[in-house]
Amino acid sequence: MAVTLEHSELVSRVIHDGDLGSRAAAEAYIGGVCFKQGPPTLIGAELEWLTVQGECPASGPSAAPRPQLTALADALGPYAPRSIAPDSPALALPGGSRVTIEPGGQIELSSAPFADAAQLTSSLRDDARHLRDLLESRSIRMVSAAADADRHPERLLQLPRYRAMEQSFGGIGPYGKLMMCNTAATQVSVDAGADRAEVTARWTALYAMGPALLAAFACSPVLHSAPPGAWASQRMRAWLRLDNARTRPPLLDWPDPILGYSRWALDVPLLCVRRPDDTEGHPGNGNGAGPDLSWSPPPGATFADWLSGALDDEVGRRPDRHDLDYHLTTLFPPVRASGYLEVRYLDAQPGDSWTVPIHVLDALLSSRAVIAEATALAAPLAGHWLDAARYGLADLDIRAVAVDLLGLAAANARGTDAAREIDAAAERCRNGRIPTAESGAHGTGGSGVTS
């Protein structure tokens, strides 16, 4: 008679042996590593900017050429990521943030985790200033814009991951390359929760609040090369349109998000299959040709298919733990479970106003009572992602919920400065003004060079 292993034993076995063995083991592993449980105390963030080479022309801040990868590597020196400088030590900046480069040359700061949102924003502000100075030493400028309003999408990184992504998304429509090369976000990461009940409450709240907060901070009405249509957040439009199976998990069917996410992840089609003779750390040959194209999996094949042996002929091996870890990084839902909960639905904000959504999310998750109240306020808009991305604050029902959530956040902010910032954002939303208009940033679609 078969013996059913306990969940924790399955996870330990996968971690120790690296062998997934069965779907049950893979699901247990995903639940264990994607939803690390413990008292929620930490917060982190990732900030992205478009980059341009040289002075900004009169036609708009993002109309200048994209910088060469060699120029970015020279400017960043020991802080350069290995994706553009394979021998770099890839050091963290003085405040603990690490630098990465996105496919279109966007630059990203990923913070260290902090126990206090004020410390997080202070550290990120210092690291952003340091990063700006490094880039300006090679005449590269950072542009605060969630969508590139002036340039065609162009992929600079020739890593096999991004070639496979472009090939996969290209079969669906134009949004994959636009997302990869012409958009930027403000992302906030928070602990999952102390136990299964708290994980469920925090997960549910972040998804319920998502459409209203997306609208409150939407500031990307123009995206070059996007299909016609008026959208408050062209960036989020691109995410929602590029691959439904990968970006829109069926949350209504999930009474338990840990179990639901684990099952969903295995049934999402493969985006990449890494080959042992071709590592992602090498920048590639620059022309998109050659053996790197073997990273593209059979169309429509899922990780579960690979695990079950259905791809033995095409791939030649079964997946292990490292393959599953990699697959999890190719899932792009509005909130992604990565050990912590990664909020991905916010546009990059103009100037230094990225501090506002950090303080908002910190406040709205500050206690179980606040989480419950925020979830109830946001419930009428739960799941209305497309409406929020399309209409933003122009929709009066969406605007009302956004204002209510920001009011709740201001009342529960951790500090007077945070409360003041959130109050100003609530007043802006009440008057239907987008963050770009509030900041006075210039340029088509709200682009603005960081000061």
Side-chain angles (χ1 to χ4, degrees):
M1 183 174 62
V3 177
T4 300
L5 294 175
E6 292 292 333
H7 180 277
S8 59
E9 186 176 347
L10 281 173
V11 176
S12 297
R13 179 170 294 185
V14 172
I15 292 173
H16 182 267
D17 298 336
D19 182 15
L20 296 173
S22 67
R23 177 169 182 132
E27 287 182 4
Y29 176 76
I30 294 171
V33 301
C34 290
F35 295 88
K36 294 179 180 177
Q37 296 180 37
T41 58
L42 299 177
I43 185 169
E46 297 180 5
L47 309 177
E48 296 175 348
W49 294 268
L50 307 179
T51 57
V52 299
Q53 183 74 54
E55 296 298 322
C56 295
S59 55
S62 64
R66 300 172 196 265
Q68 296 294 314
L69 295 182
T70 52
L72 283 168
D74 287 345
L76 294 171
Y79 308 109
R82 294 191 180 97
S83 60
I84 62 171
D87 296 326
S88 171
L91 300 178
L93 290 169
S97 305
R98 295 192 179 273
V99 181
T100 53
I101 304 295
E102 295 298 307
Q106 308 98 308
I107 199 157
E108 177 182 276
L109 278 185
S110 298
S111 79
F114 287 85
D116 181 85
Q119 292 177 338
L120 167 64
T121 55
S122 176
S123 173
L124 269 174
R125 191 179 292 110
D126 289 344
D127 279 350
R129 188 179 301 113
H130 192 111
L131 176 62
R132 180 201 63 202
D133 292 342
L134 289 171
L135 295 179
E136 288 187 349
S137 72
R138 296 296 186 275
S139 299
I140 300 170
R141 294 179 179 269
M142 297 156 56
V143 179
S144 298
D148 195 320
D150 303 296
R151 301 179 296 193
H152 289 282
E154 178 187 359
R155 181 167 59 86
L156 303 184
L157 285 179
Q158 298 301 321
L159 300 176
R161 170 188 174 96
Y162 297 122
R163 294 181 198 163
M165 287 177 67
E166 185 174 340
Q167 180 174 330
S168 175
F169 294 148
I172 300 172
Y175 294 104
K177 192 167 185 178
L178 286 169
M179 174 278 293
M180 293 167 63
C181 303
N182 277 30
T183 65
T186 295
Q187 298 178 15
V188 182
S189 297
V190 295
D191 284 330
D195 51 40
R196 217 171 185 94
E198 188 170 34
V199 169
T200 298
R202 290 166 72 85
W203 174 271
T204 301
L206 289 173
Y207 266 99
M209 297 185 298
L213 294 183
L214 158 62
F217 295 102
C219 57
S220 54
V222 181
L223 174 60
H224 195 284
S225 302
W231 290 71
S233 176
Q234 292 280 2
R235 183 197 69 86
M236 197 60 184
R237 177 196 189 188
W239 279 107
L240 294 171
R241 295 292 198 193
L242 67 91
D243 184 350
N244 286 352
R246 193 173 309 281
T247 63
R248 298 198 214 174
L251 297 175
L252 295 179
D253 300 333
W254 295 0
D256 179 351
I258 298 177
L259 181 59
Y261 193 90
S262 301
R263 291 175 173 173
W264 169 72
L266 293 180
D267 291 327
V268 173
L270 291 164
L271 194 57
C272 311
V273 173
R274 295 187 299 168
R275 302 297 182 178
D277 57 345
D278 197 1
T279 61
E280 190 178 13
H282 192 281
N285 58 21
N287 60 17
D292 290 341
L293 292 178
S294 65
W295 279 49
S296 295
T302 67
F303 195 94
D305 292 333
W306 190 11
L307 183 62
S308 71
L311 305 185
D312 283 356
D313 290 341
E314 292 89 344
V315 180
R317 64 180 181 87
R318 299 287 175 89
D320 60 18
R321 172 173 65 88
H322 302 292
D323 293 306
L324 181 51
D325 288 341
Y326 196 84
H327 174 66
L328 294 172
T329 71
T330 69
L331 309 180
F332 306 122
V335 180
R336 182 165 67 185
S338 301
Y340 44 85
L341 304 182
E342 182 182 283
V343 178
R344 302 172 55 84
Y345 47 69
L346 301 170
D347 279 0
Q349 298 297 288
D352 283 343
S353 62
W354 46 263
T355 60
V356 183
I358 291 175
H359 288 306
V360 166
L361 285 167
D362 182 54
L364 292 176
L365 297 174
S366 57
S367 73
R368 297 194 184 205
V370 175
I371 290 169
E373 186 174 354
T375 303
L377 286 174
L381 293 183
H384 289 233
W385 296 103
L386 286 172
D387 289 340
R390 184 190 295 272
Y391 303 114
L393 297 173
D395 183 299
L396 296 183
D397 292 332
I398 295 174
R399 186 192 303 185
V401 175
V403 170
D404 287 345
L405 283 175
L406 293 183
L408 179 63
N412 291 276
R414 308 192 208 212
T416 55
D417 289 341
R420 191 179 304 112
E421 287 186 19
I422 299 171
D423 273 330
E427 181 64 18
R428 169 182 61 75
C429 290
R430 189 174 291 110
N431 292 312
R433 301 196 304 271
I434 68 174
T436 305
E438 182 74 5
S439 71
H442 58 285
T444 304
S447 299
V449 177
T450 58
S451 58

